[in-house]
Amino acid sequence: MNKIEHIGIAVKNLTKSIDIYQRLLDADCYKTELVASEHVNTAFFKTGENKVELLEATSPESAIAKFIEKKGEGIHHIAFAVDDIIEEMERLRKEGFVLLNEQPKKGADNKMVCFVHPKDTSGVLIELCQEIKWV
């Protein structure tokens, strides 16, 4: 794992939260994106080397809606950048971690992603992210 790629924050209202984080970080939201497969709208901020992703559910069945219902708004996951997501998934499986995905899937912000079950990481949902390279 190379670095923290972003911190994901579950929010009830993306528009309101974008305003809050623009004022808080003194930075504009540089991208919003619908990830239909995950039933989530996202918004991204960059401050220095760091990124923050806001996540709003678009369906009551989404993981974000269930997270907010159970825990309320707040930090949902920490994402780490990796060079080779398949290799990293294999390494983590060998170390005994439970992955929530058998294969990487397309996520927001031009990334392939995989999640590590929080029961294996002291209650923190971990996301692996690999930039999709266009050839």
Side-chain angles (χ1 to χ4, degrees), residues 9 12 32 37 55 87 95 98 107 114 119 125:
I9 301 173
K12 291 180 182 177
T32 59
S37 63
L55 304 118
E87 185 177 291
E95 290 290 336
V98 173
C114 175
K119 73 176 182 173
L125 181 63

Side-chain angles (χ1 to χ4, degrees), residues 1-134:
M1 295 192 201
N2 299 327
K3 67 173 184 169
I4 293 176
E5 208 287 329
H6 67 268
I7 296 175
I9 301 173
V11 301
K12 291 180 182 177
N13 183 307
L14 193 62
T15 302
K16 179 180 173 186
S17 295
I18 287 171
D19 178 61
I20 290 167
Y21 277 83
Q22 285 183 149
R23 292 183 291 116
L24 176 69
L25 301 173
D26 194 25
D28 290 331
C29 170
Y30 73 85
K31 180 180 191 176
T32 59
E33 183 178 350
L34 170 66
V35 184
S37 63
E38 299 301 311
H39 306 285
V40 67
N41 275 320
T42 66
F44 287 90
F45 294 85
K46 187 161 183 161
T47 175
E49 295 290 317
N50 304 301
K51 291 192 324 191
V52 173
E53 176 188 31
L54 304 179
L55 304 118
E56 174 193 57
T58 61
S59 164
E61 293 82 40
S62 79
I64 296 302
K66 292 174 184 173
F67 177 89
I68 290 174
E69 183 178 305
K70 186 175 180 180
K71 297 183 178 184
E73 293 180 292
I75 294 177
H76 179 259
H77 66 270
I78 299 175
F80 290 89
V82 298
D83 292 326
D84 184 330
I85 196 166
I86 299 292
E87 185 177 291
E88 191 63 17
M89 289 170 69
E90 288 174 12
R91 183 188 76 79
L92 290 172
R93 279 191 193 103
K94 286 179 186 172
E95 290 290 336
F97 291 93
V98 173
L99 304 181
L100 297 178
N101 315 90
E102 285 298 314
Q103 296 294 322
K105 58 185 176 178
K106 177 133 176 35
D109 204 27
N110 194 44
K111 303 284 189 295
M112 293 302 295
V113 302
C114 175
F115 290 90
V116 181
H117 199 292
K119 73 176 182 173
D120 292 338
T121 56
S122 303
V124 178
L125 181 63
I126 300 295
E127 179 182 11
L128 308 177
C129 295
Q130 180 184 333
E131 186 85 24
I132 297 172
K133 306 285 190 216
W134 299 101

